[in-house]
Amino acid sequence: PPGRKVLIVYAHQEPKSLNGSLKSVAVEELSKQGCSVTVSDLYAMQFEPRATRNDIVGCLHNSEEFNYGVETWKAYKRGGLSSDLIEEQKKVQEADLLIFQFPLYWFSMPAIMKGWMDRVLVQGFAHEFPNCYDSGLLKNKLALFSFTTGGSREMYAKGGISGDIRYLLWPMQHGIMHFCGVKVLAPHICFAPEYVSEEKRKEMLTAWAQRLKTLWKEEPINCSPEWYFK
């Protein structure tokens, strides 16, 4: 619907890739609906994935012994995080929907995107015990993981060699997004695009565009372990 804000966090090195096309389709389709869409193109930004002392501007809370979690929490509270983090947090804060677009690497997201999670979702900003899971600080937001795999759909079935694809979503969707209070829409998975015809890849893009047309009507998945392990 017009006025909704979307942040696409995108991790692929090649704009001409299927991931690049999936990202472009989302920008186009959501913009057409009147949403305002922002893209964090992590590779193009040369986003720093490492969580280091450089993320804190000024003096440390405890200069004797460095604790990243404590230091970034304190820095967030006093407005002392590095500018690249403040920039990403502002984008997250404004977004109604976060779309993560990436190729699956080793049953997970690429390092550069994991680094975005590690550095951006700071305590005090995204969660603050006991405010986590349903009371996480980013509640009222939606997230969607859209990714490509190397393996086929059969390999990622419950009886397949790689196990149910949902098992891999547990750390990403539940351990990160739901922990921060974000509601999660069903993932969008393009299985083994490298091993299918050009025509099939076009169909994958069309299917994504179709889904985006009615995305705002979708209900989030059930945020419980059952969804992943039933």
Side-chain angles (χ1 to χ4, degrees):
R4 297 274 176 105
K5 290 193 161 70
V6 182
L7 171 62
I8 300 176
V9 182
Y10 162 68
H12 199 288
Q13 310 86 338
E14 175 51 66
K16 295 199 280 280
S17 64
L18 185 69
N19 273 277
S21 302
L22 288 159
K23 180 260 298 168
S24 301
V25 163
V27 171
E28 191 181 334
E29 182 51 48
L30 292 164
S31 303
K32 233 190 294 190
Q33 297 174 17
C35 301
S36 67
V37 186
T38 305
V39 178
S40 285
D41 181 341
L42 301 181
Y43 286 105
M45 291 156 71
Q46 301 198 341
F47 186 80
E48 167 61 80
R50 295 170 300 183
T52 69
R53 159 76 178 87
N54 299 339
D55 294 347
I56 296 102
V57 176
C59 295
L60 291 176
H61 171 68
N62 175 0
S63 52
E64 296 300 298
E65 196 176 316
F66 185 71
N67 179 319
Y68 185 82
V70 171
E71 292 297 343
T72 49
W73 174 44
K74 298 281 185 192
Y76 173 74
K77 293 221 273 218
R78 62 174 169 82
L81 287 173
S82 61
S83 57
D84 59 339
L85 293 192
I86 290 170
E87 185 62 26
E88 294 306 299
Q89 288 177 344
K90 200 183 297 158
K91 294 176 195 174
V92 171
Q93 197 64 66
E94 288 176 357
D96 299 300
L97 167 66
L98 308 166
I99 295 177
F100 297 96
Q101 181 65 60
F102 59 98
L104 194 68
Y105 279 13
W106 295 119
F107 278 25
S108 186
M109 58 189 91
I112 200 165
M113 184 176 279
K114 177 58 162 60
W116 186 94
M117 305 281 181
D118 292 350
R119 295 179 63 227
V120 175
L121 302 175
V122 167
Q123 183 178 351
F125 168 67
H127 56 90
E128 179 96 81
F129 194 80
N131 296 319
C132 52
Y133 289 117
D134 289 340
S135 59
L137 303 181
L138 301 182
K139 55 182 176 294
N140 306 327
K141 296 187 189 301
L142 290 169
L144 193 166
F145 286 83
S146 170
F147 59 96
T148 58
T149 68
S152 66
R153 187 185 292 270
E154 293 69 43
M155 290 170 76
Y156 283 110
K158 211 179 195 113
I161 185 93
S162 300
D164 192 331
I165 192 84
R166 289 187 182 196
Y167 302 155
L168 322 188
L169 291 162
W170 171 251
M172 298 190 255
Q173 293 186 164
H174 189 79
I176 304 176
M177 285 297 119
H178 183 202
F179 186 83
C180 298
V182 179
K183 292 187 175 60
V184 180
L185 295 174
H188 198 85
I189 308 166
C190 292
F191 288 98
E194 285 180 60
Y195 304 104
V196 301
S197 65
E198 191 52 45
E199 200 169 316
K200 275 270 185 286
R201 278 199 289 275
K202 284 214 173 73
E203 281 169 23
M204 289 175 172
L205 294 175
T206 311
W208 179 222
Q210 276 306 114
R211 180 176 175 193
L212 289 163
K213 285 189 200 316
T214 55
L215 194 70
W216 301 103
K217 296 194 175 81
E218 290 186 17
E219 284 298 313
I221 65 166
N222 157 14
C223 289
S224 70
E226 284 78 57
W227 187 88
Y228 301 90
F229 304 109
K230 64 172 187 274

